[in-house]
């Protein structure tokens, strides 16, 4: 048995947000004076969620959403997402106290790098701890945070990237996603927008899955990637043909990441060759493509 049981999954089908899950939409001026949050900047369509950060005259407008006041103590948080680059813009996908009062914060993905060549994984507490992860978040990736009483463990595309221990949050936390625009003095984020900044910067999310911590009694698979599969059963087929055939089967089936990979193949964002390479590297659920 695993340690996690699914609470909800949102594949963002249809044309509107599930307000039974996402109970809070952000609104109002942000504290740095650079932008305001507006619920209209959160969009659902084409099988994905989009948080749009846009120029609005001499200022900016962005969006955010959260499960607040719903939350849980400990759990697993998994999502497939990409974040546009843009000088002076940022995004955060995070855990925030369900009572809305800042005492703990876990930034699963926070874009300190305007070019998105890496991201920050942070735990705010005593002490604050940040790990910098060399992953280009402008590309589609699957992220997973496992939060248990003794640690925070981060995975990207099924590969463990960081573990934090000590001063682990022990209160109900809600899952949140938001866009931001930074002020010139916020140098950790690279400062504010300039002439190179696009007029619209998007956070795209293909799906979100949240699971409760149910040690020894869970139904969800562990986060570790599947081991690499050797194509010994492929007969006389050339290895490239084998992996392409495996990729085609995978994107047609109901894999953990199939929504992301299938939609991207259909949109021409990635190729079957890309999926084949990931499968050969040991990613994905082997029973779906063998």
């Amino acid at each position: 048995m695993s340690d996690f049981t699914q609470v909800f999954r949102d594949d963002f089908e249809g044309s509107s947000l599930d307000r039974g899950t996402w109970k809070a939409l952000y609104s109002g001026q942000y504290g740095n004076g650079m932008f305001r949050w507006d619920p209209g900047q959160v969009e659902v369509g084409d099988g994905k969620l989009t948080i749009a950060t846009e120029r609005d005259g001499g200022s900016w407008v962005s969006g955010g959403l959260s499960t607040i006041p719903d939350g849980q103590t400990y759990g697993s948080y998994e999502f497939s997402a990409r974040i546009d680059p843009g000088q002076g813009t940022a995004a955060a996908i995070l855990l925030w106290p369900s009572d809305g009062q800042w005492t703990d914060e876990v930034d699963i993905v926070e874009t300190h790098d305007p070019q998105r060549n890496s991201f920050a994984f942070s735990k705010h507490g005593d002490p604050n701890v940040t790990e910098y992860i060399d992953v280009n978040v402008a590309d589609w990736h699957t992220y997973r945070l496992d939060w248990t009483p003794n640690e925070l463990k981060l995975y990207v595309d099924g590969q463990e990237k960081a573990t934090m221990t000590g001063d682990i949050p022990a209160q109900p936390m809600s899952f949140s996603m938001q866009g931001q625009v930074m002020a010139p003095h916020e140098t950790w984020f690279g400062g504010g927008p300039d002439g190179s900044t696009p007029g619209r910067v998007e956070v795209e999310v293909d799906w979100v899955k949240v699971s409760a911590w149910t040690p020894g009694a869970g139904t969800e698979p562990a986060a570790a990637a599947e081991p690499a599969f050797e194509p010994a059963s492929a007969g006389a087929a050339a290895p490239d043909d084998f992996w392409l055939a495996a990729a085609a089967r995978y994107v047609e089936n109901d894999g953990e990441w199939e929504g992301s990979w299938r939609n991207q193949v259909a949109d021409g964002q990635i190729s079957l060759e890309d999926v084949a390479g990931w499968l050969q590297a040991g990613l994905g659920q082997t029973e779906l493509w063998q």
Side-chain angles (χ1 to χ4, degrees), residues 101-175:
Q101 302 300 309
W102 187 91
T103 47
D104 289 302
E105 178 182 345
V106 179
D107 297 312
I108 306 171
V109 175
E110 187 169 28
T111 56
H112 70 294
D113 175 9
Q115 301 306 312
R116 312 306 190 230
N117 292 316
S118 64
F119 70 91
F121 167 47
S122 301
K123 176 184 68 67
H124 295 271
D126 185 16
N128 292 332
V129 180
T130 297
E131 297 276 355
Y132 296 97
I133 312 299
D134 289 331
V135 168
N136 188 329
V137 298
D139 297 329
W140 284 98
H141 294 285
T142 297
Y143 304 87
R144 174 168 171 163
L145 175 73
D146 286 354
W147 167 34
T148 58
N150 296 318
E151 65 182 15
L152 297 164
K153 191 177 292 290
L154 177 71
Y155 302 83
V156 180
D157 297 332
Q159 304 299 313
E160 183 180 334
K161 293 293 186 180
T163 298
M164 295 182 182
T165 59
D167 192 40
I168 300 301
Q171 65 169 310
M173 303 281 278
S174 299
F175 183 79

Side-chain angles (χ1 to χ4, degrees), residues 209-245:
K209 181 173 71 173
V210 172
S211 300
W213 185 58
T214 53
T219 58
E220 289 300 297
E226 297 285 351
F229 179 75
E230 295 297 332
S233 61
D240 287 349
D241 292 339
F242 172 84
W243 291 112
L244 283 173

Side-chain angles (χ1 to χ4, degrees), residues 38-135:
D38 187 316
Q41 298 303 111
V42 178
E43 308 163 2
V44 174
D46 299 323
K48 63 187 177 184
L49 168 79
T50 301
I51 301 172
T53 299
E54 296 183 284
R55 293 185 188 273
D56 184 32
S59 185
W60 291 79
V61 60
S62 189
L65 68 164
S66 178
T67 63
I68 288 175
D70 291 350
Q72 60 187 16
T73 304
Y74 313 126
S76 181
Y77 303 82
E78 194 166 6
F79 51 93
S80 174
R82 63 168 301 278
I83 302 169
D84 283 341
Q87 170 61 40
T89 68
I93 300 176
L94 68 154
L95 301 183
W96 186 266
S98 296
D99 64 7
Q101 302 300 309
W102 187 91
T103 47
D104 289 302
E105 178 182 345
V106 179
D107 297 312
I108 306 171
V109 175
E110 187 169 28
T111 56
H112 70 294
D113 175 9
Q115 301 306 312
R116 312 306 190 230
N117 292 316
S118 64
F119 70 91
F121 167 47
S122 301
K123 176 184 68 67
H124 295 271
D126 185 16
N128 292 332
V129 180
T130 297
E131 297 276 355
Y132 296 97
I133 312 299
D134 289 331
V135 168

Side-chain angles (χ1 to χ4, degrees), residues 10-27:
D10 195 341
D11 290 290
F12 303 109
E13 302 296 338
S15 58
S16 61
L17 192 68
D18 177 5
R19 296 305 308 277
T21 297
W22 307 103
K23 290 184 165 60
L25 286 175
Y26 299 180
S27 63

